[in-house]
Amino acid sequence: MKKSLPLLLLLALLFCACGSANPPTAVVTPTGAGTPTTPAETTPEPSQAPAATPEPVIIYDAYNNSGSYSDSIGNHWDYVLRIPAIQAPGTDATRLNQELYTVLYPHVKDALDAMEGLYSLGICNVDYTVHINGSLISILCEVDTDWGFESYYAVNFDAESKTEVDRAALLARFGMDEEEFLSLAASAAEAYFTQSFANIPHDAFWQDRHDRSLATENFTDDCQLYVNDGGQLCMIVKLYSFAGADYYYHEYPLT
């Protein structure tokens, strides 16, 4: 059995907001939010203090482990295990770092335990990408398995206010409320489902898969939202399947 991480290391991963030994993945400096400007023809008073430089937000690896692995019967994998963290003042960054670690580290531990026991590697990758749109930072985490099932965890953070951007605030940035989002999400899923499974007989099972994919709770209970590099609002939601797992997650750009 693999020993648990020492307490000090665990606390460092969970609560440290600075001093990571890993190079930053992204550094976002707010630009001019709330900073007074002076017209070109006006000379500032000598006693006027210079405007403060906005404090940057740094996204870094709280945990990073990658390499190659072969199990006891010769199966081989290349793996990446990374957990992101947000270096920023305030309680939101601390809370989000705790949530990221709580969600992702069990998957990392599954991979580490498998490698220690020379077992087949079920969890192949735990990784993330950072998308930046102005002051909005979207961190999209992905867990990949050897059997082709991916799961996701998205976090949205504002570099100016140093606060989490929750679902309602994210939708508001695109001029949407919850009702408008649900309508748009259902339309996108409907189009994807009918196109993907057009050649499957439209029997009772097809209808069950369709109805569960388009149920309102599918877009509320387990639906991840983020903004990609192109500035599109995207959702990750279950699409119920006809073979393999009961459902798989799919990404849909909505704007």
Side-chain angles (χ1 to χ4, degrees):
M1 178 67 70
K2 187 178 187 298
K3 294 182 179 178
S4 299
L5 286 175
L7 178 60
L8 290 178
L9 175 58
L10 179 61
L11 291 175
L13 287 171
L14 287 173
F15 301 110
C16 180
C18 62
S20 170
N22 299 308
T25 300
V27 179
V28 182
T29 303
T31 54
T35 302
T37 57
T38 304
E41 68 273 10
T42 303
T43 302
E45 294 294 330
S47 59
Q48 181 177 350
T53 301
E55 185 173 353
V57 173
I58 297 173
I59 310 301
Y60 66 95
D61 293 342
Y63 181 92
N64 188 327
N65 182 359
S66 61
S68 298
Y69 165 73
S70 297
D71 65 14
S72 58
I73 58 175
N75 296 312
H76 181 79
W77 295 265
D78 295 320
Y79 65 90
V80 175
L81 305 172
R82 292 200 305 159
I83 299 176
I86 303 167
Q87 179 178 313
T91 59
D92 278 15
T94 300
R95 175 176 52 79
L96 290 173
N97 289 342
Q98 293 174 1
E99 291 178 5
L100 287 164
Y101 186 88
T102 299
V103 168
L104 298 176
Y105 187 74
H107 299 293
V108 170
K109 189 174 185 303
D110 282 348
L112 296 176
D113 287 348
M115 286 187 278
E116 182 173 320
L118 296 180
Y119 305 133
S120 295
L121 197 60
I123 302 295
C124 304
N125 293 294
V126 178
D127 206 356
Y128 68 94
T129 53
V130 179
H131 304 279
I132 299 170
N133 289 274
S135 66
L136 178 65
I137 305 170
S138 292
I139 306 173
L140 181 62
C141 307
E142 182 174 347
V143 179
D144 300 326
T145 68
D146 188 44
W147 55 90
F149 186 89
E150 293 83 33
S151 57
Y152 300 86
Y153 189 74
V155 164
N156 298 287
F157 190 82
D158 188 82
E160 291 181 354
S161 63
K162 307 298 191 290
T163 58
E164 180 183 14
V165 180
D166 63 16
R167 179 185 176 103
L170 191 62
L171 293 178
R173 291 182 180 227
F174 289 87
M176 276 189 276
D177 58 20
E178 182 70 13
E179 183 177 353
E180 291 168 323
F181 163 73
L182 291 175
S183 176
L184 184 62
S187 296
E190 168 80 23
Y192 190 94
F193 188 95
T194 54
Q195 181 179 2
S196 299
F197 304 125
N199 296 327
I200 294 178
H202 289 34
D203 54 13
F205 188 57
W206 188 96
Q207 195 65 46
D208 172 78
R209 304 286 86 185
H210 172 275
D211 293 350
R212 294 184 71 179
S213 295
L214 269 65
T216 298
E217 57 267 22
N218 197 37
F219 306 112
T220 55
D221 296 347
D222 191 22
C223 178
Q224 302 286 323
L225 298 179
Y226 74 99
V227 180
N228 66 16
D229 286 338
Q232 294 175 294
L233 176 65
C234 301
M235 73 172 177
I236 298 173
V237 70
K238 297 172 181 174
L239 190 70
Y240 284 83
S241 68
F242 293 84
D246 188 35
Y247 59 82
Y248 293 93
Y249 289 100
H250 290 260
E251 296 183 58
Y252 305 83
L254 296 176
T255 59

